[in-house]
């Protein structure tokens, strides 16, 4: 039974991948997309199928009993169904879409994407919008702009996923929908988390604080609280942490990864926290000993450059 479920799942995934590749050829990624019939789809809802069944039943009854009134009613309902298909298509046709991020976010937060819709005759009616992988969480659109939230669990520079638009205008008998790829990127910075021993790290607001500067071999008389016990337990090598006085406010401060933190993500979170504190204290700082060294600077643009380098590390 489990093998059958696994085979069915793989077949569904392969089918979806072929559909997405087919859509990519019909609608390449673009900053502004104008909805066209090449990638718009119309299909009856369950109410639409019910109306089609009713039309068929009325036609059979009218033909068998030679009742012109029943036939006329069947034809009117059929015209209503066809008109609904045309109106549903025209409701989204030639609507222009664009998107941009509202702001940079940190890992674990939700990125806000501002979606803009433009059409000569106003906003499409009965429109819902959302992300392709969250088709069950579409939100109604009643204005030319709408904010869609996107989970951002990991740091990096990402492109927004495929967007889904759908409408059941005008009578809920048919559903018109499309999947749109927009060229829109957003930044996710490492979540700022101070190190467990943040009081031993540089604090731009304290003139007498100390900053970690390296390690050396243990010598008799060294304080035991500065021993690197973690490395001693792994490598049986007794090393001592060295600290130096931090730069005073108004002077340059260099930030580098703290090797006492076990994982890269912990080091990046610590660097992001220290960069935010330095910027808050209006102290110039730089980034070194990283894949991308950044010279000393200050200001929001410099802080964003540092956080971008940390996000891409």
């Amino acid at each position: 039974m489990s093998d059958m479920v696994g085979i069915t799942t793989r077949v569904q995934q392969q089918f979806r991948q072929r559909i997405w590749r087919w859509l990519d050829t019909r609608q390449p990624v673009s900053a502004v997309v104008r909805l066209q019939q090449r990638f718009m789809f119309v299909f009856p809802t369950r109410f639409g199928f019910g109306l089609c069944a009713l039309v068929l039943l009325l036609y059979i009854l009218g033909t068998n009993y030679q009742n012109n009134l029943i036939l006329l009613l069947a034809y009117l309902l059929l015209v209503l169904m066809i008109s609904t298909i045309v109106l549903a298509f025209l409701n989204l046709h030639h609507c222009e879409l664009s998107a941009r991020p509202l702001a940079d976010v940190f890992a674990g937060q939700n990125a806000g994407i501002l979606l803009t819709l433009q059409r000569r005759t106003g906003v499409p009616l009965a429109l819902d919008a959302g992300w392709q992988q969250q088709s069950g969480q579409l939100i109604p659109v009643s204005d030319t702009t709408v904010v869609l939230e996107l989970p951002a669990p990991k740091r990096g520079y990402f492109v927004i996923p495929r967007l889904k638009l759908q409408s059941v205008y005008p009578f809920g008998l048919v559903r018109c929908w499309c999947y749109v790829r927009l060229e829109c990127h957003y930044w996710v910075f490492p979540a700022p988390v101070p190190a467990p021993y943040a009081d031993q790290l540089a604090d731009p607001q304290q003139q007498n604080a100390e900053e970690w500067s390296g390690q050396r071999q243990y010598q008799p008389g060294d304080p035991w609280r500065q021993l690197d016990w973690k490395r001693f337990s792994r490598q049986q090598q007794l090393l001592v942490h060295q600290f130096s006085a931090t730069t005073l406010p108004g002077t340059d401060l260099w930030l580098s990864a703290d090797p006492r933190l076990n994982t890269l993500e912990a080091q990046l979170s610590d660097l992001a926290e220290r960069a935010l504190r330095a910027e808050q204290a209006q102290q110039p700082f730089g980034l070194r000993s990283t894949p991308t060294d950044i010279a000393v600077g200050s200001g929001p643009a410099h802080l964003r450059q540092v956080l971008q380098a940390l996000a891409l590390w």
Side-chain angles (χ1 to χ4, degrees):
M1 185 66 179
S2 59
D3 295 340
M4 194 64 182
V5 174
I7 293 175
T8 304
T9 303
R10 288 195 296 269
V11 170
Q12 291 177 351
Q13 292 177 351
Q14 293 176 359
F15 178 74
R16 290 193 182 99
Q17 291 175 358
R18 294 187 63 179
I19 291 296
W20 302 139
R21 288 196 296 267
W22 177 73
L23 286 175
D24 289 340
T25 59
R26 298 182 69 87
Q27 191 261 304
V29 61
S30 177
V32 179
V33 174
R34 189 175 188 181
L35 300 185
Q36 301 176 4
Q37 63 271 21
R38 289 172 54 85
F39 47 89
M40 292 175 58
F41 310 96
V42 181
F43 201 73
T45 63
R46 57 179 181 176
F47 302 107
F49 278 114
L51 181 63
C52 293
L54 178 61
V55 169
L56 180 60
L57 178 61
L58 291 176
Y59 179 79
I60 294 175
L61 291 176
T63 303
N64 289 341
Y65 292 100
Q66 296 183 357
N67 192 318
N68 293 331
L69 291 178
I70 296 179
L71 289 175
L72 178 62
L73 178 60
Y75 294 148
L76 289 177
L77 293 178
L78 181 61
V79 171
L80 174 64
M81 188 66 187
I82 296 176
S83 302
T84 301
I85 295 175
V86 176
L87 292 175
F89 172 79
L90 295 177
N91 185 46
L92 294 182
H93 192 234
H94 286 174
C95 180
E96 292 187 353
L97 304 175
S98 61
R100 65 176 180 86
L102 289 178
D104 303 324
V105 297
F106 294 98
Q109 298 178 342
N110 289 335
I113 306 299
L114 181 64
L115 178 65
T116 303
L117 303 92
Q118 294 182 351
R119 200 180 63 166
R120 290 179 298 178
T121 57
V123 182
L125 303 175
L127 179 64
D128 296 328
W131 306 112
Q132 166 205 326
Q133 67 271 28
Q134 301 174 354
S135 298
Q137 302 178 8
L138 303 180
I139 63 174
V141 179
S142 58
D143 200 354
T144 56
T145 59
V146 62
V147 177
L148 301 178
E149 291 191 350
L150 190 62
K154 299 187 302 182
R155 61 180 174 86
Y157 187 53
F158 303 99
V159 62
I160 63 174
R162 195 183 298 273
L163 184 70
K164 180 180 180 180
L165 298 176
Q166 75 172 25
S167 174
V168 292
Y169 176 83
F171 304 120
L173 298 177
V174 297
R175 176 180 290 105
C176 182
W177 78 96
C178 61
Y179 295 99
V180 181
R181 290 192 63 189
L182 292 172
E183 186 177 0
C184 175
H185 297 79
Y186 62 98
W187 284 96
V188 181
F189 301 143
V193 178
Y197 32 80
D199 56 336
Q200 298 178 357
L201 299 177
D203 187 350
Q205 296 178 338
Q206 298 179 1
Q207 296 186 4
N208 298 325
E210 293 184 342
E211 183 181 23
W212 185 88
S213 60
Q215 291 177 326
R216 60 173 175 81
Q217 293 290 338
Y218 170 77
Q219 297 178 0
D222 289 333
W224 283 48
R225 65 182 180 86
Q226 295 184 0
L227 294 178
D228 190 348
W229 295 107
K230 291 184 179 180
R231 177 167 293 188
F232 177 74
S233 63
R234 294 195 302 264
Q235 304 177 2
Q236 298 298 316
Q237 185 180 10
L238 201 55
L239 299 177
V240 178
H241 293 298
Q242 288 184 304
F243 300 91
S244 60
T246 62
T247 54
L248 298 177
T251 60
D252 297 343
L253 172 65
W254 287 98
L255 302 180
S256 59
D258 191 343
R260 292 177 294 175
L261 298 174
N262 296 329
T263 63
L264 175 62
E265 296 302 324
Q267 294 176 354
L268 295 178
S269 296
D270 175 56
L271 286 172
E273 171 69 19
R274 293 159 63 187
L276 291 173
R277 284 191 292 156
E279 177 61 27
Q280 186 177 7
Q282 298 182 355
Q283 178 170 2
F285 65 96
L287 188 65
R288 63 184 177 187
S289 301
T290 61
T292 303
D293 292 346
I294 299 178
V296 174
S298 61
H302 177 72
L303 174 63
R304 189 170 188 266
Q305 183 183 7
V306 170
L307 293 177
Q308 288 177 351
L310 297 178
L312 297 178
W313 189 348

